[in-house]
Amino acid sequence: MVFNSSIRYVNRRLTVDQIDIASIIAEVGTPAYIYSRRRIRENFHRLERAFAPLSARLHFSVKANGNLDILRALNEIGAGFDCVSGGEIYRALKAGAKARDIVFAGVGKTRDELVYAITSGVGWINAENLGELDHIDTIAAELGAEPVKVALRLNPEVTAQTHPYMATGHGAAKFGLAADVIRDVLSRPARYPRIDFAGLHMHIGSQLGDMRATLAAVDKLVALIQDYPRIKTINLGGGLPVVYRFDEKTPSPDGLAAALARRLRGYDVLLEPGRAIVADAGLLVAEALYVKRQAGQSFVVVDASMAELIRPALYGAHHEIVVLRQAAGETETTQVVGPVCESADVLGRDRQLPTLEAGDKVALMTAGAYGMTMASNYNARPRPVEVLVDGDRWWVSRRRETFDDLVRYELLTDPQANQKDPLPGPNQC
Ligand code: LLP
């Protein structure tokens, strides 16, 4: 069975590129995130080709996966980065990104984060509050910086067909600015002498299976931008969908690109894809700890949980679950659950799986996006190791956290001295 160009069964063993996953797990243990760097590059190039008719510049959305090796790999093949915090900007810069290739977005940037972004020289700030514009203008003046390039984020008042937690473009959402507010700002740009209002931004949601909402939003954005011929850049955000269920189909980006190209002739276009670049390149491997037959059900308790992968608990998201070693034999309806003390800690409901025993390993598929970045230490669980594979090589990219890591920040200060943690300076935000 072939899942994609990098992940498949070879001789009944689940492999990433040329590597048998079980051989990695024998060394690094479980739970473990494993990513194919080759697949990530391929996904990036596929999107680049699809959006070539728009000459779109792709800024990888770091919130989907902030692993430094992955950011480095994307930087090397020409990606820019979409960052939503000082921490993400720091990560992108650490990975070698040029500041001018970073767009800084987010509904609640702190003043410190804005100082950090402007001092670093990020290429764009996607702004979505009037107070934020005041901050940007004042900071740039204080620093004697060049005018800062800003893309105002439009809330197009369009509801995307996706999980309600992932829809951001409807009028009631906290995101973006209403069209009339944007018009008001653009009618008097001299109010902000240190801001160059050079672009408009939008992002109506994530995992967008139906492009009609996107096109409706783009039409509103184009109607708005036409009155401001100085604005030449349109940033359409992210949202391209991926396949989570093996029997599911998602529209290819080519149709969307063609429809966009007709609407956006003459503009510089930026995109901020996250999921579509990393999701299907990654999986989370877990080991079955116990099998419990109870209340007419078969529970398999694995050593991964909602702490390592929160998507099923948070969005009711579906991640396919497969075994590392295929074997002939019976299958049964299985509840795959984690060890965390929450009823929501179910990774897969009613899955038809081979009869599992303690010690068997399973992989949660399509976990490369919003997996590790949303992982927590809930129940004082150290976060998992991250492994990268590329062809016939693999390496530990981020080591598994230890118990010491869990208490690290609390052991820094001497309680007798009643020290206060120093506030982070601008370069540490
Ligand atoms: N740009 C902006 C302004 C965004 O808010 C997002 C995602 C992206 C780009 C990237 O979207 P993508 O291409 O990955 O769909 N945690 C959720 C997804 C939340 C997405 C938030 N914003 C999940 O696990 O599905």
Side-chain angles (χ1 to χ4, degrees):
M1 189 171 179
V2 176
F3 300 114
N4 59 49
S5 58
S6 279
I7 302 178
R8 66 180 69 204
Y9 282 104
V10 176
N11 299 330
R12 300 176 161 252
R13 291 153 186 260
L14 190 63
T15 58
V16 177
D17 294 341
Q18 271 101 272
I19 310 282
D20 175 2
I21 295 175
S23 70
I24 301 177
I25 295 304
E27 288 193 42
V28 305
T30 50
Y33 273 103
I34 302 183
Y35 312 105
S36 163
R37 188 168 70 176
R38 175 184 286 184
R39 178 72 183 167
I40 291 170
R41 289 203 186 100
E42 190 179 298
N43 284 339
F44 179 81
H45 288 311
R46 189 160 30 80
L47 290 188
E48 240 182 359
R49 278 196 303 278
F51 289 99
L54 293 153
S55 308
R57 174 116 177 80
L58 304 184
H59 287 74
F60 173 65
S61 198
V62 174
K63 65 175 85 61
N65 193 318
N67 175 284
L68 284 183
D69 275 334
I70 291 179
L71 301 185
R72 261 185 221 119
L74 288 167
N75 184 54
E76 274 164 21
I77 57 174
F81 296 93
D82 156 40
C83 298
V84 286
S85 66
E88 286 191 354
I89 295 175
Y90 184 77
R91 273 190 172 276
L93 293 174
K94 274 276 174 212
K98 294 203 179 59
R100 65 167 183 273
D101 294 331
I102 293 175
V103 301
F104 183 30
V107 78
K109 307 172 188 80
T110 66
R111 195 178 192 282
D112 278 352
E113 285 177 312
L114 287 167
V115 169
Y116 178 48
I118 294 169
T119 349
S120 306
V122 300
W124 287 92
I125 296 181
N126 297 336
E128 45 184 310
N129 296 284
L130 294 181
E132 186 185 343
L133 296 178
D134 292 332
H135 276 331
I136 296 170
D137 196 56
T138 326
I139 293 166
E142 281 167 10
L143 294 173
E146 291 291 298
V148 178
K149 267 203 294 186
V150 162
L152 293 171
R153 176 171 178 176
L154 171 69
N155 181 326
E157 302 187 27
V158 164
T159 305
Q161 297 305 309
T162 184
H163 188 281
Y165 293 178
M166 294 180 215
T168 53
H170 52 93
K174 68 178 176 179
F175 300 99
L177 291 164
D180 55 345
V181 176
I182 292 187
R183 284 187 185 282
D184 184 51
V185 171
L186 295 179
S187 67
R188 283 176 290 158
R191 266 184 300 186
Y192 305 99
R194 297 287 176 150
I195 295 183
D196 177 9
F197 291 102
L200 284 185
H201 174 242
M202 64 167 234
H203 169 83
I204 64 163
S206 204
Q207 186 63 4
L208 305 172
D210 176 357
M211 70 178 187
R212 278 174 300 187
T214 304
L215 295 179
V218 168
D219 287 340
K220 289 192 174 182
L221 188 140
V222 168
L224 175 62
I225 207 170
Q226 263 160 8
D227 295 334
Y228 307 96
R230 273 201 65 263
I231 302 187
K232 293 273 188 291
T233 300
I234 296 182
N235 180 337
L236 297 175
L240 296 168
V242 304
V243 169
Y244 281 103
R245 293 174 189 266
F246 294 147
D247 59 0
E248 194 177 57
K249 285 258 177 300
T250 51
S252 106
D254 301 328
L256 176 63
L260 289 174
R262 284 194 293 278
R263 289 165 166 83
L264 301 179
R265 217 161 274 135
Y267 290 106
D268 293 330
V269 177
L270 310 184
L271 297 173
E272 301 170 341
R275 189 187 315 266
I277 292 176
V278 285
D280 74 0
L283 42 82
L284 173 62
V285 182
E287 177 175 313
L289 299 174
Y290 302 102
V291 178
K292 177 150 84 174
R293 290 178 216 284
Q294 190 160 288
Q297 300 188 82
S298 172
F299 291 97
V300 173
V301 186
V302 298
D303 65 356
S305 71
M306 65 189 288
E308 290 76 29
L309 181 66
I310 202 176
R311 302 191 72 259
L314 188 57
Y315 313 114
H318 182 95
H319 288 263
E320 297 283 1
I321 300 177
V322 302
V323 289
L324 290 204
R325 291 262 193 274
Q326 284 180 316
E330 298 291 298
T331 65
E332 65 177 328
T333 306
T334 308
Q335 315 303 324
V336 181
V337 301
V340 160
C341 309
E342 298 272 350
S343 297
D345 187 24
V346 176
L347 296 168
R349 278 182 212 281
D350 297 332
R351 300 303 175 87
Q352 207 56 41
L353 289 174
T355 306
L356 292 171
E357 289 174 14
D360 286 343
K361 312 283 190 303
V362 295
L364 289 122
M365 307 296 279
T366 330
Y370 306 108
M372 185 63 169
T373 47
M374 294 180 82
S376 75
N377 292 121
Y378 188 40
N379 281 200
R381 297 172 61 82
R383 277 179 296 175
V385 61
E386 289 185 297
V387 169
L388 256 75
V389 179
D390 196 334
D392 57 4
R393 292 195 303 128
W394 70 269
W395 64 98
V396 170
S397 177
R398 177 186 155 121
R399 69 159 171 78
R400 183 182 305 288
E401 289 179 0
T402 62
F403 289 165
D404 271 347
D405 291 331
L406 297 178
V407 296
R408 175 171 303 255
Y409 307 107
E410 291 154 77
L411 295 179
L412 278 179
T413 48
D414 172 4
Q416 302 302 321
N418 192 23
Q419 286 171 326
K420 290 250 168 20
D421 214 15
L423 286 173
N427 291 328
Q428 296 160 273
C429 17

